[in-house]
Amino acid sequence: MYEAIAFYLLAAVVAGSAFGCVIATNIVRMALCLLGTLGGVALLYFLMAANFLGVVQLIVYAGGTLIVIVFGVMLTSRAAGVRLRPKRSEALAGTLICIGLLAGLVTLLVRTAWPAAQSEAQAYDVAWLGNELLSTYLVPFEMVSVLLLAVMIGAAFLAQPSGKDKEPEER
Amino acid sequence: MAEFTTEDALRSRWSAAARPRAVRWFSGLGVVFVLGAAALGLLATRLTGMSYAVALAVAVVLLLTGGSCLGAAVVVQYPRAVGRLLQRLGLPLFLLAVAAIIVVAWAPVLLWPDKPLIVRDVLAVVGAVGFVSLFASFAIWWERKVAGRIQSRLGPMRVGGWHGWAQSIADGLKLFQKEDILPGGGDAVLFRMAAYVTFVPALSLFIALPFSAAWVGRDLDVGLLLIVALFGLGVIGVLLGGWASNNKWSMYGAMREACQVISYEIPLGFSLLIPIMVAGTLRLTTIGELQAGGFWTWLAFRNPFTLIAALTFLIATLASCKRAPFDLPEAESELVAGYMTEYSGFRWALFMFAEYAEMFAAGALTAILFFGAWHSPLPAAWGAAWATGPLWQQALHGVVFSGPLWLIFKGIFFVYVQIWLRWTLPRIRLDQVMHACVQFMLPVTMVVLLAQTFWQLLVPAGSVLAVALNLACTVLGALVALGIASIAVYGLRYRRRLVGTLVVDHLPGS
Amino acid sequence: MLAIGLTHYLVLAAFLFCCGLYVMATKRNAVGILIGAELVLNAAGINLVAFSRYETGLADGQIAALFIIVLAAAEAAIAIAIFVNYYRLLGTIDPDAGDRLRG
């Protein structure tokens, strides 16, 4: 029963914040709504006994990615003619497509008879997850680390001022 | 000049129109909450098992909220009478509150170990609120006293009698009565939310923070990471608040915070990895129990690398608490108050509470990870017989060998170190912060991480090299501790000569 | 309704996905589009963890969700770097303005 109460509460938070992202016209408010979604999803991971994942979601997503996003918003905030409000036709088409897709997906999901749960409430402790990550899933793990290196170099390259508009050195 | 007393701090700041409205609202809400609590309590007597416990916990929370509302109504309606009462009965009331909060918070957790976790969580949060508010009011007074002494002043001396001990309480009541100002042109919703976005994570990390192996709200297997994650979340509130204030000082503060976070979080994470590697777990109670055998087994003194990691961790937590020399987001001499410039009254108090809660949590975390957690410098094994003896022996064991008192003491000591550094060191520039974190601390922590890896692979635990380096680090740590202690004793002994002549007459014992 | 199962999580994830899709399709701010992408990735994460919890019982879903989180962080870093350059170049952050091929 408690799981149900917790799930519906969290689902309300997640869905409400996601919908807040949809209707917000201010980019910083969208970021706040994203924080609600990310935090709610982290708590959902806790509810699904994936503690490590919930914590990683909080650290990397809410603590890292979201700060980078807010930072980006602040750096680009003075952009002239920021129109977050979509054109009416675009909004209408988007709404129709999304509602159609949602209706289709929900019908599909509810009608599918999923096989019964195999392992009810298995304890996913961190040591087990770490062993899996460094044995069974070692190749994807290494590939992700190479990708992260590439991203780091790429971001550093993109962030350096280009030759034309290099600002004079201030010393 | 007339003496400034508690009564003055309590002089009403409400406009004539707002006051009755506030009283009406507070008393109405209070009555509703108390009635709700009573109804739930009555309902709870009919329930059994889990629902009984949950209903009771909710009723307790409602009762506390209602009581606070009624108390607020009384403060707003009769500020002078409350001030007089506080002046007469302040100290006993304060001590009573301390005792009540400790009982409410921790007794059920200890007496009720196998009750539903949700009840324990609720009680742990109530306890955390109580502990944080007490600690914050103590630490704010203490910071002002320490700052005063470092600058050859006295700090607060008037409110409450003995060394102005009630200054924080008077300040809190004053803040509580102040108008809640919203900046024009700012984003009102974000501005209001930001204080909570900072406050809630700072408070909820106390659920996972162990005060001893038994005194912990939830002993999670990812406890350490959860606390670090909640540390990181508070930053978003700072960013949003700075943005929503529509003020260039706030904005500068928020931008500086964002830059600073991106710089310090990586060395912080790397230095966290060292104790995780030594202990082989993220569970804080296990890490704490690893250091039970006297202060030469404390993780900081295991080998030179852990010692360096402890120092980098201390510096990184300094930055994460926004304390000098990393207090750029607040920077009161450059940015007015940085991201808090536009905040007033209660919301400002929330930011301050969050800051002091984070300071204590950072100090406690430093103690748990590197400096023996809740153990005294003596090996806990010496007192093993006491730990299971009669109650008085257990209490003595808690004071002499290991117990929550030691963790609180160590946490307060590290908070003192933070205060000490704040009033001693100058603030560094933003580029210097980034340079220090990324180009100095990050390589150091990475090298230390590699070295620790090889150490654990190549040097067996009992070998001569390991024992010798352990001994060397322990002696170094003991020398530093002795140095600090002797400086403190010297300062106390010659305080009359060291402090300016203006304040000599007010020093205790004169 | 009271027994929470796989379907509950999947429906929630579907809603999150559609919200993210709408945000990506209609917002006129590049950062807004990034936020939409984060919503979609979160929906995928919920799905993966729910399947691993209720169906397979293996680590695969959780590991995949872990990679999603890490890749989302990398994606956000790169995207913000690109947006800042874009803004520096064009003085706006409307993705429709970037229809020139020559810098």
Side-chain angles (χ1 to χ4, degrees):
Chain A
M1 214 239 336
Y2 293 105
E3 197 194 349
I5 294 174
F7 174 80
Y8 286 117
L9 272 177
L10 290 177
V13 170
V14 169
S17 329
F19 195 66
C21 273
V22 169
I23 56 173
T25 50
N26 176 329
I27 188 77
V28 185
R29 281 195 194 183
M30 272 178 77
L32 182 69
C33 290
L34 187 65
L35 173 68
T37 311
L38 296 176
V41 171
L43 291 175
L44 277 180
Y45 288 159
F46 276 112
L47 196 64
M48 287 190 272
N51 285 357
F52 183 69
L53 211 55
V55 169
V56 168
Q57 164 104 359
L58 276 184
I59 289 189
V60 178
Y61 242 130
T65 311
L66 194 59
I67 288 175
V68 171
I69 288 178
V70 175
F71 202 51
V73 169
M74 288 177 176
L75 280 179
T76 57
S77 64
R78 279 171 300 139
V82 178
R83 298 169 295 147
L84 271 176
R85 208 181 292 280
K87 278 186 220 146
R88 187 158 291 178
S89 58
E90 282 175 355
L92 195 67
T95 316
L96 283 180
I97 290 173
C98 284
I99 287 180
L101 185 65
L102 182 64
L105 276 176
V106 168
T107 335
L108 199 69
L109 291 173
V110 172
R111 285 200 181 167
T112 313
W114 301 101
Q118 285 180 351
S119 56
E120 192 59 34
Q122 180 184 345
Y124 298 110
D125 71 331
V126 186
W128 173 74
L129 200 65
N131 276 332
E132 289 281 318
L133 191 62
L134 288 181
S135 56
T136 319
Y137 302 93
L138 185 61
V139 174
F141 180 76
E142 291 300 328
M143 278 164 68
V144 166
S145 47
V146 170
L147 184 104
L148 280 184
L149 185 68
V151 164
M152 222 152 75
I153 296 170
F157 174 74
L158 280 174
Q160 69 177 9
S162 55
K164 262 192 313 206
D165 53 12
K166 187 177 276 181
E167 283 161 27
E169 287 281 315
E170 291 174 56
R171 283 286 157 195
Chain B
M1 195 186 92
E3 298 262 307
F4 181 82
T5 59
T6 328
E7 212 176 319
D8 292 312
L10 282 167
R11 183 173 295 143
S12 181
R13 283 168 175 76
W14 293 79
S15 65
R19 191 155 104 173
R21 203 163 63 229
V23 171
R24 252 199 322 277
W25 269 98
F26 276 130
S27 51
L29 275 178
V31 168
V32 168
F33 280 133
V34 170
L35 285 182
L40 255 179
L42 279 179
L43 186 71
T45 55
R46 309 232 163 166
L47 298 171
T48 49
M50 290 262 275
S51 353
Y52 168 71
V54 174
L56 211 60
V58 176
V60 167
V61 171
L62 276 181
L63 195 66
L64 288 176
T65 323
S68 324
C69 283
L70 288 179
V74 171
V75 170
V76 176
Q77 179 69 44
Y78 308 106
R80 291 185 153 265
V82 172
R84 268 199 295 277
L85 197 69
L86 264 182
Q87 222 166 3
R88 296 272 158 71
L89 297 174
L91 197 55
L93 277 177
F94 187 64
L95 293 178
L96 202 69
V98 175
I101 282 164
I102 289 171
V103 167
V104 166
W106 288 108
V109 178
L110 284 179
L111 300 177
W112 242 7
D114 47 347
K115 284 290 163 200
L117 286 169
I118 186 166
V119 180
R120 288 185 61 159
D121 287 352
V122 168
L123 289 170
V125 169
V126 172
V129 175
F131 181 78
V132 166
S133 28
L134 279 179
F135 177 77
S137 47
F138 163 71
I140 291 172
W141 167 79
W142 200 36
E143 168 144 30
R144 294 175 66 174
K145 293 304 278 190
V146 172
R149 288 303 159 85
I150 285 175
Q151 299 166 347
S152 285
R153 302 183 281 112
L154 283 172
M157 285 298 282
R158 308 236 185 249
V159 183
W162 183 79
H163 273 261
W165 67 272
Q167 184 66 49
S168 298
I169 299 174
D171 280 348
L173 289 167
K174 177 194 75 181
L175 283 175
F176 184 71
Q177 296 183 61
K178 275 185 154 183
E179 189 186 343
D180 185 26
I181 299 169
L182 289 174
D187 191 326
V189 178
L190 281 180
F191 186 82
R192 288 206 180 95
M193 289 291 292
Y196 302 112
V197 173
T198 306
F199 182 62
V200 169
L203 207 61
S204 45
L205 64 83
F206 279 83
I207 290 182
L209 189 76
F211 280 69
S212 87
W215 290 49
V216 48
R218 273 232 185 169
D219 187 16
L220 293 171
D221 61 344
V222 287
L224 175 56
L225 281 186
L226 182 67
I227 290 180
V228 175
L230 290 172
F231 256 106
L233 277 188
V235 172
I236 296 169
V238 171
L239 287 180
L240 292 178
W243 166 274
S245 296
N246 191 29
N247 174 325
K248 62 184 165 193
W249 307 126
S250 308
M251 190 63 200
Y252 275 130
M255 291 292 269
R256 285 175 171 197
E257 173 75 0
C259 287
Q260 191 170 315
V261 166
I262 293 171
S263 313
Y264 75 71
E265 278 214 327
I266 310 169
L268 182 77
F270 271 112
S271 33
L272 273 179
L273 285 178
I274 305 288
I276 294 175
M277 268 169 59
V278 175
T281 177
L282 296 172
R283 194 185 288 272
L284 282 170
T285 49
T286 317
I287 297 179
E289 285 303 317
L290 203 66
Q291 311 171 52
F295 77 105
W296 50 92
T297 61
W298 290 3
L299 275 180
F301 306 135
R302 284 287 168 94
N303 61 43
F305 313 121
T306 50
L307 192 59
I308 298 173
L311 291 181
T312 48
F313 182 76
L314 210 58
I315 297 173
T317 50
L318 215 58
S320 81
C321 294
K322 305 184 276 288
R323 302 291 295 183
F326 301 104
D327 64 341
L328 299 132
E330 201 180 321
E332 71 280 354
S333 53
E334 306 162 22
L335 300 183
V336 189
Y339 63 94
M340 296 194 291
T341 304
E342 294 288 352
Y343 280 91
S344 68
F346 187 60
R347 279 173 223 285
W348 183 83
L350 282 186
F351 273 117
M352 291 310 278
F353 267 44
E355 181 175 335
Y356 281 94
E358 282 188 353
M359 274 167 71
F360 180 80
L365 206 57
T366 316
I368 293 171
L369 291 179
F370 293 104
F371 293 98
W374 40 86
H375 300 292
S376 74
L378 305 170
W382 292 0
W386 282 0
T388 49
L391 205 58
W392 66 270
Q393 278 190 354
Q394 285 183 23
L396 210 60
H397 178 266
V399 175
V400 180
F401 290 107
S402 57
L405 279 181
W406 274 98
L407 189 85
I408 293 175
F409 166 72
K410 286 177 185 172
I412 288 177
F413 173 75
F414 285 114
V415 169
Y416 172 69
V417 170
Q418 293 181 345
I419 293 174
W420 180 17
L421 290 177
R422 169 170 179 187
W423 294 100
T424 317
L425 296 179
R427 182 179 309 121
I428 58 181
R429 277 197 326 261
L430 187 59
D431 57 325
Q432 289 167 332
V433 171
M434 290 163 83
H435 189 272
C437 286
V438 177
Q439 296 199 17
F440 176 68
M441 272 168 63
L442 183 59
V444 166
T445 46
M446 283 166 109
V447 168
V448 164
L449 185 66
L450 264 181
Q452 174 69 27
T453 317
F454 283 112
W455 178 272
Q456 274 184 246
L457 285 176
L458 300 179
V459 182
S463 67
V464 178
L465 183 62
V467 173
L469 281 181
N470 184 355
L471 204 66
C473 290
T474 312
V475 169
L476 190 66
L479 283 180
V480 170
L482 272 181
I484 293 176
S486 51
I487 290 172
V489 169
Y490 176 84
L492 194 68
R493 177 76 183 73
Y494 296 105
R495 57 180 185 273
R496 264 159 231 292
R497 208 196 307 157
L498 293 169
V499 182
T501 49
L502 178 72
V503 298
V504 168
D505 296 340
H506 292 276
L507 283 174
S510 58
Chain C
M1 282 303 273
L2 277 179
I4 299 300
L6 183 58
T7 317
H8 292 77
Y9 288 101
L10 295 187
V11 169
L12 180 66
F15 180 75
L16 213 56
F17 177 82
C18 290
C19 284
L21 198 67
Y22 181 85
V23 170
M24 280 205 288
T26 57
K27 294 292 174 189
R28 287 310 192 83
N29 184 328
V31 183
I33 291 173
L34 184 65
I35 290 178
E38 304 295 346
L39 289 181
V40 170
L41 289 174
N42 265 285
I46 294 181
N47 266 3
L48 287 167
V49 177
F51 272 115
S52 122
R53 164 87 166 77
Y54 289 100
E55 289 298 321
T56 66
L58 297 173
D60 48 3
Q62 287 197 32
I63 304 265
L66 204 62
F67 288 155
I68 286 187
I69 294 174
V70 173
L71 293 184
E75 169 226 344
I78 285 287
I80 294 294
I82 292 175
F83 296 160
V84 171
N85 266 356
Y86 186 94
Y87 175 65
R88 211 186 273 159
L89 214 60
L90 298 177
T92 173
I93 190 117
D94 187 345
D96 286 352
D99 50 4
R100 285 182 303 159
L101 280 178
R102 283 193 304 159

